[in-house]
Amino acid sequence: MRAPFLDRAPPSFPDAPYRPRLSCSFVKKKAVVFADSLGLPLTQVKVMQHEESPPPPLSSPKVSPSIPHYPTLRVNFPQPITRINFLEEVRLNQVRLENVLVADLSVTGTILVHNLSFQKKISVRYTRDYWLSFSHLSATFSRSVAQDIDQFTFSLQLPASLPPGARVEMCVRAQLGGEVFWDSNDARNYQMECIMCPKKLDLLQQGGILLANDIVRSKLAKVSHCLADIYY
């Protein structure tokens, strides 16, 4: 006797989805190589194994020689002669610093004095250590710039050992007869500072004409006279 399920038809299932067969054949890609007229490749591949140093420059840069420096003075106050009604200040205060000219560590200046007395002693008091000590420098008569005003000149030479940053302060003292008058720049004094400036190059390096310091100093008095002629 056969089993009853053998005579039954197999159960029906819904249709399975269509699955196309995969082809086993592969399409080979075409490679394009560019070549020159001789058939040699136009490109070259280089594989970098290690870091390479950059190529040397075509020419070494020119290094400018170091320029030596020398000490000089910087004037830290406006020239009094440029003030309006300067002569009236002289008449009211009896004495006023007129102007100063600086060449390296040399200072040449002019002073105007009210002609109150024939006997006059004009001097400059200056210090290089904030008035811990000071010195006096006499001024000499130069000329009369007005009927009642005389001009005196002075020259101050500071030592070459003056360090950069040092401050020089000065004021003017005028003894007219038996009276003494001062010009201290309204209690601020006239201040100058030692600084370092590039040293002048010689004629070939500079490409121009340089005047020696002694020639410059000899012309300072003439410049002062020209300034006085302009303002007076």
Side-chain angles (χ1 to χ4, degrees), residues 138-184:
S138 298
T140 58
F141 175 80
S142 175
R143 63 170 182 155
S144 295
V145 298
Q147 186 176 1
D148 58 341
I149 295 178
D150 294 337
Q151 184 188 69
F152 287 74
T153 61
F154 67 91
S155 180
L156 171 62
Q157 180 63 50
L158 295 169
S161 59
L162 192 68
R167 190 170 70 182
V168 179
E169 298 184 45
M170 65 181 184
C171 56
V172 180
R173 181 181 185 273
Q175 182 176 348
L176 307 178
E179 297 184 87
V180 176
F181 302 93
W182 291 88
D183 175 20
S184 60

Side-chain angles (χ1 to χ4, degrees), residues 60-160:
S60 301
K62 295 181 180 180
V63 179
S64 59
S66 59
I67 301 176
H69 287 63
Y70 72 103
T72 186
L73 290 174
R74 179 178 63 194
V75 178
N76 291 336
F77 57 90
Q79 298 289 355
I81 192 177
T82 60
R83 294 199 292 262
I84 301 176
N85 299 326
F86 179 65
L87 289 183
E88 293 303 320
E89 292 186 25
V90 177
R91 293 184 176 97
L92 290 175
N93 297 276
Q94 314 311 325
V95 60
R96 280 295 190 188
L97 177 70
E98 184 181 20
N99 73 294
V100 295
L101 298 174
V102 173
D104 297 343
L105 294 178
S106 177
V107 182
T108 300
T110 57
I111 302 168
L112 295 188
V113 180
H114 194 194
N115 193 3
L116 296 179
S117 172
F118 178 77
Q119 295 181 349
K120 303 180 185 68
K121 291 184 179 180
I122 314 302
S123 61
V124 175
R125 177 180 290 186
Y126 67 95
T127 180
R128 295 185 284 121
D129 54 9
Y130 300 92
W131 299 108
L132 296 177
S133 62
F134 55 86
S135 301
H136 280 93
L137 179 67
S138 298
T140 58
F141 175 80
S142 175
R143 63 170 182 155
S144 295
V145 298
Q147 186 176 1
D148 58 341
I149 295 178
D150 294 337
Q151 184 188 69
F152 287 74
T153 61
F154 67 91
S155 180
L156 171 62
Q157 180 63 50
L158 295 169

Side-chain angles (χ1 to χ4, degrees), residues 198-223:
K199 191 173 182 62
K200 299 180 181 67
L201 303 179
D202 57 30
L203 184 61
L204 295 179
Q205 292 174 321
Q206 187 71 10
I209 300 176
L210 296 177
L211 297 177
N213 288 336
D214 55 347
I215 299 178
V216 174
R217 294 189 185 97
S218 66
K219 295 181 180 295
L220 293 180
K222 295 181 180 180
V223 174

Side-chain angles (χ1 to χ4, degrees), residues 8-19:
R8 299 176 182 175
S12 60
F13 296 94
D15 296 337
Y18 173 75
R19 297 179 180 177

Side-chain angles (χ1 to χ4, degrees), residues 13-31:
F13 296 94
D15 296 337
Y18 173 75
R19 297 179 180 177
R21 293 184 179 181
L22 299 178
S23 176
C24 294
S25 62
F26 297 93
V27 179
K28 186 177 182 182
K29 296 182 179 180
K30 296 181 179 181

